[in-house]
Amino acid sequence: MNAWAALVSVIERGYRDDVYEYTNDLYCRKWLHETWLLLVSAYPRMCSRRYR
């Protein structure tokens, strides 16, 4: 999450690297998205086990 926040900050100030570096920097956002999907799908199962 820190990497994503840092990238947003850099973009707000004006991104100076090329498109290839930008694509590489977006990897942290992809990771967050994929992790979120896993957590959202697992959360109901985790809660149901806790309350059994």
Side-chain angles (χ1 to χ4, degrees), residues 2-3 12 15 17-18 24-28 39 44 46 50 52:
N2 289 336
E12 288 175 341
Y15 196 81
D17 286 330
D18 61 21
N24 186 52
D25 288 343
L26 285 178
Y27 184 78
C28 65
L39 289 174
M46 291 178 351
R50 180 184 294 169
R52 284 186 187 174

Side-chain angles (χ1 to χ4, degrees), residues 11-23:
I11 291 170
E12 288 175 341
R13 287 178 283 158
Y15 196 81
R16 299 187 192 276
D17 286 330
D18 61 21
V19 68
Y20 301 107
E21 191 63 30
Y22 178 72
T23 303

Side-chain angles (χ1 to χ4, degrees), residues 5-50:
L7 179 59
V8 170
S9 178
V10 167
I11 291 170
E12 288 175 341
R13 287 178 283 158
Y15 196 81
R16 299 187 192 276
D17 286 330
D18 61 21
V19 68
Y20 301 107
E21 191 63 30
Y22 178 72
T23 303
N24 186 52
D25 288 343
L26 285 178
Y27 184 78
C28 65
R29 174 62 178 93
K30 181 181 176 192
W31 185 89
L32 286 173
H33 175 74
E34 291 175 0
T35 303
W36 177 255
L37 293 175
L38 291 172
L39 289 174
V40 167
S41 67
Y43 186 74
R45 289 189 303 262
M46 291 178 351
C47 289
S48 67
R49 283 187 216 147
R50 180 184 294 169

